[in-house]
């Protein structure tokens, strides 16, 4: 069994075109993601993109990259195309978001460790919500799970008083057994996936268990130019 990290990176983002190549404190965003992945226990990692400009950037820092179709609807589908070319039946595939330049290597390692249990097919992460305003921020999906840490639901907004419970932000990194990744990518979009605009609902509605592990580390994704400014301010001040 080999653990392979795949970093989908698309140039033509509707909200922030070209964001994988944006400069973050002296390095491109895609380079920062790649270098964080290098610090994990991954045995192999590769950028998956449909744009030659991103290919050229990855090659410039001696990273590994492969071209994919430009027709993919999601990063999950882009991961599958690469996995089908390089993975074996027993391999583990980790979908590392290409817009999280400061992802913690320990988060990747936590996902890898989960697969010592042979019953596990899909794993993701969550972090306890510490501020009430996060509950109504629809750009930060939330996850509910049962006592066995299996996902029950994913929501964008939680209409419940913050003081009345413990809530978790979903950290959007996924790990799959290769055969499970093939199966979930073959599924048609589900009703709740369309309603919430969250593809993980498709897996739940088709009976796939999703193990949810808590992490102490937050995620800082770059979806807009404003996000880029915030992340530069945050991490620039910490260096």
């Amino acid at each position: 069994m080999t653990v392979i990290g795949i970093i989908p990176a698309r140039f033509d983002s509707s909200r922030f075109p070209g964001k994988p190549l944006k400069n973050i404190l002296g390095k491109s965003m895609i380079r920062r993601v790649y270098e964080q992945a290098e610090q994990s226990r991954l045995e192999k990692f590769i950028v998956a993109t449909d744009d030659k400009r991103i290919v050229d950037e990855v090659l410039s820092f001696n990273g590994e990259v492969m071209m994919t179709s430009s027709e993919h609807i999601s990063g999950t589908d882009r991961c599958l195309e690469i996995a089908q070319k390089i993975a074996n039946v027993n391999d583990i595939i980790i979908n590392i978001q290409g817009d999280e330049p400061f992802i913690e290597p320990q988060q990747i390692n936590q996902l890898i460790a989960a697969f010592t249990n042979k019953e596990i097919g899909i794993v993701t992460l969550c972090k306890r919500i510490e501020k009430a305003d996060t509950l109504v921020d629809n750009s930060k999906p939330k996850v509910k799970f049962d006592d066995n840490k299996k996902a029950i639901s994913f929501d964008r907004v939680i209409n419940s008083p913050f003081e009345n419970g413990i809530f978790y932000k979903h950290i959007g990194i996924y790990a799959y057994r290769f055969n499970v990744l093939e199966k979930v990518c073959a599924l048609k979009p589900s009703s709740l996936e369309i309603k919430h605009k969250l593809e993980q609902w498709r897996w739940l509605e088709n009976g796939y268990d999703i193990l949810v592990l808590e992490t102490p580390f937050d995620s800082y994704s770059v979806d807009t130019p404003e996000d880029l400014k915030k992340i530069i301010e945050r991490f620039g001040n910490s260096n």
Side-chain angles (χ1 to χ4, degrees), residues 5-235:
I6 301 178
I7 308 169
R10 188 167 63 97
F11 190 91
D12 293 323
S13 167
S14 58
R15 287 189 288 176
F16 197 3
K19 68 179 180 179
L21 303 183
K22 298 301 180 183
N23 187 296
I24 300 178
L25 302 171
K27 297 180 181 180
S28 67
M29 181 161 67
I30 193 61
R31 180 170 183 170
R32 286 199 171 274
V33 177
Y34 194 95
E35 290 181 350
Q36 291 298 103
E38 282 186 305
Q39 298 176 51
S40 74
R41 290 172 47 212
L42 284 169
E43 299 166 70
K44 183 179 181 63
F45 36 92
I46 185 168
V47 174
T49 185
D50 60 356
D51 194 280
K52 189 176 184 302
R53 287 164 289 190
I54 296 174
V55 170
D56 291 342
E57 169 60 16
V58 176
L59 293 177
S60 76
F61 57 81
N62 297 316
E64 188 170 353
V65 60
M66 291 180 68
M67 287 286 287
T68 67
S69 166
S70 60
E71 302 300 317
H72 293 307
I73 297 174
S74 71
T76 310
D77 296 319
R78 199 176 303 281
C79 282
L80 176 63
E81 180 182 340
I82 298 299
Q84 288 177 325
K85 295 175 180 176
I86 66 174
N88 294 315
V89 64
N90 294 319
D91 288 347
I92 305 300
I93 308 299
I94 300 187
N95 178 351
I96 302 168
Q97 304 299 312
D99 58 6
E100 292 195 7
F102 293 99
I103 184 173
E104 288 286 344
Q106 294 94 321
Q107 291 177 315
I108 299 172
N109 293 343
Q110 188 175 7
L111 294 175
I112 295 171
F115 287 95
T116 55
N117 182 341
K118 295 183 179 180
E119 300 300 315
I120 299 302
I122 307 175
V123 189
T124 190
L125 298 177
C126 70
K127 183 181 185 301
R128 182 170 175 170
I129 293 173
E130 299 173 352
K131 295 182 179 180
D133 57 2
T134 302
L135 293 184
V136 294
D137 185 343
N138 66 7
S139 69
K140 297 176 180 177
K142 294 81 184 173
V143 60
K144 297 177 184 177
F145 48 90
D146 64 20
D147 292 341
N148 294 316
K149 300 181 181 179
K150 292 181 179 180
I152 298 171
S153 67
F154 294 87
D155 300 280
R156 290 195 176 274
V157 173
I158 294 179
N159 294 309
S160 178
F162 185 66
E163 296 79 7
N164 286 5
I166 297 173
F167 305 96
Y168 294 91
K169 173 185 172 183
H170 179 221
I171 305 297
I173 181 172
Y174 302 97
Y176 318 79
R177 293 194 186 276
F178 175 48
N179 66 318
V180 174
L181 176 61
E182 286 189 306
K183 291 174 182 176
V184 297
C185 283
L187 299 172
K188 295 181 179 180
S190 69
S191 59
L192 289 175
E193 173 188 6
I194 294 169
K195 176 182 177 181
H196 294 283
K197 297 182 179 179
L198 295 170
E199 68 173 326
Q200 56 269 42
W201 267 113
R202 185 190 315 183
W203 315 335
L204 283 183
E205 287 194 272
N206 282 277
Y208 286 88
D209 289 334
I210 304 174
L211 181 68
V212 183
L213 301 178
E214 185 176 357
T215 172
F217 303 106
D218 210 339
S219 61
Y220 302 94
S221 61
V222 178
D223 296 314
T224 66
E226 291 71 27
D227 291 337
L228 181 62
K229 292 176 183 178
K230 290 177 183 178
I231 206 169
I232 288 174
E233 289 174 1
R234 178 183 179 85
F235 289 92

